[in-house]
DNA sequence: TATATACCCGACTAAAATAGTCAAGTATTA
DNA sequence: TAATACTTGACTATTTTAGTCGGGTATATA
């Protein structure tokens, strides 16, 4: 049960952005430097964030990315979905009628993992970007 | 954010066991057949469960494994810990003072991931083996 | 006491996922 | 027109996962 860097960086980068005036573009280069994330990797991530309409891009010199919504309204679940990093706790195909064992019924633990899935997603559903910022004394 | 088979199988196998008389040994071969889990993989898993005193072994013909405690008292967190599959949400070393970026301070998202870590572990802490069994109508 | 059953244990490996990099662009502004 | 910054697809090294393999040892029962 591990969180991957793609999700972690996506949130980190967006959190970085939301500390700056929301209407002026923030360049990936700056985020890369401040947060020590590979620029090329960030580009890959932001392409997805853009496609999923979480940010919009401003090309050219002095360009960068701009948040499309107030940080208060950007839920972590949206971000995760955008970089398509889903929570996967069950062993079986989610829609299939078959179990993880190939048998026709769901296995004895299926319900448990399903519950865990919901539980975790609930966390992401109830957290937004601005929650990250209102902790006491944040710099860097 | 994905659950691996080791943890999933460990819980599945123990849940299987706890449906049988608790004092007579259950062989891995039987579990393997009922739950469609590779026997050799199960052996690997049970070695750890044994070392961590969740089960004890009975060697020889008619042998198998026996739960060391009532299923009611076996928390999922114990099982996960036994097969050493930890939850890892932060990018940094947990005890280190350094951040995931190599800098001297923790990153802007650290607190969030730490909270998530606690949140997930809380789930495992509050579930035990017997919770898996009391759902209506369980066979296979 | 022979034989089958079942646990014991370390080492090994194929395949998949992760965490990036690279190359070759295009658009915009100063 | 030079510099900045986004765009996109393909590629790759490394790590992790999900097992397998081989060669044991202990015990029950026929
Ligand atoms: S996890 Fe869905 S059937 Fe086993
Ligand atoms: S996750 Fe701990 S410092 Fe970034």
């Amino acid at each position: 049960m591990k969180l991957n860097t793609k999700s972690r960086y996506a949130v980190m980068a967006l959190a970085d952005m939301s500390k700056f005036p929301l209407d002026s573009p923030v360049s990936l280069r700056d985020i890369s430097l401040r947060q020590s994330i590979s620029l090329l990797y960030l580009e890959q991530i932001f392409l997805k964030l853009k496609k999923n309409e979480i940010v919009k891009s401003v090309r050219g010199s002095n360009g960068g990315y701009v948040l499309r919504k107030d940080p208060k309204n950007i839920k972590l679940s949206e971000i995760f979905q955008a970089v398509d990093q889903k929570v996967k706790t069950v062993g079986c195909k989610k829609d299939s009628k078959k179990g993880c064992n190939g048998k026709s019924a769901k296995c004895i633990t299926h319900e448990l993992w399903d519950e865990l899935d919901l539980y975790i997603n609930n966390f992401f559903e109830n957290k937004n970007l601005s929650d990250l910022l209102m902790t006491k004394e944040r710099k860097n």
Side-chain angles (χ1 to χ4, degrees), chain A:
Chain A
M1 199 88 267
K2 188 159 42 174
L3 189 68
N4 55 26
T5 56
K6 217 161 216 163
S7 320
R8 199 182 299 113
Y9 290 167
V11 175
M12 209 181 290
L14 291 172
D16 180 292
M17 283 181 70
S18 52
K19 284 187 300 186
F20 294 88
L22 296 179
D23 45 351
S24 71
V26 179
S27 77
L28 293 189
R29 193 175 146 277
D30 286 355
I31 299 178
S32 166
L33 289 172
R34 277 193 297 264
Q35 305 301 331
S36 310
I37 303 171
S38 148
L39 173 59
L40 284 81
Y41 202 19
L42 272 179
E43 290 186 339
Q44 211 183 96
I45 291 169
F46 271 75
L47 228 47
K48 297 196 176 191
L49 293 177
K50 187 196 167 192
K51 271 185 191 143
N52 285 272
E53 311 195 321
I54 291 175
V55 296
K56 68 181 173 209
S57 66
V58 179
R59 300 182 71 153
S61 165
N62 288 330
Y65 286 94
V66 181
L67 291 175
R68 287 187 91 118
K69 295 193 252 178
D70 191 272
K72 220 187 302 298
N73 298 319
I74 301 178
K75 293 186 287 189
L76 292 195
S77 54
E78 286 180 69
I79 302 174
F80 275 61
Q81 194 179 27
V83 294
D84 43 47
Q85 246 57 50
K86 314 185 213 316
V87 173
K88 181 160 169 53
T89 55
V90 295
C92 57
K93 293 252 169 71
K94 215 141 190 183
D95 38 356
S96 164
K97 191 76 183 171
K98 280 188 184 168
C100 56
N101 40 28
K103 291 182 186 164
S104 59
K106 294 295 183 183
C107 76
I108 44 177
T109 49
H110 180 86
E111 252 174 79
L112 173 72
W113 309 129
D114 224 24
E115 196 182 331
L116 174 58
D117 193 299
L118 265 157
Y119 182 80
I120 296 177
N121 277 307
N122 179 61
F123 182 91
F124 297 137
E125 199 61 31
N126 291 308
K127 284 277 177 191
N128 59 57
L129 264 192
S130 70
D131 289 337
L132 289 189
L133 304 176
M134 46 230 249
T135 355
K136 22 94 225 201
E137 276 277 43
R138 298 227 145 269
K139 52 198 160 204
N140 88 281

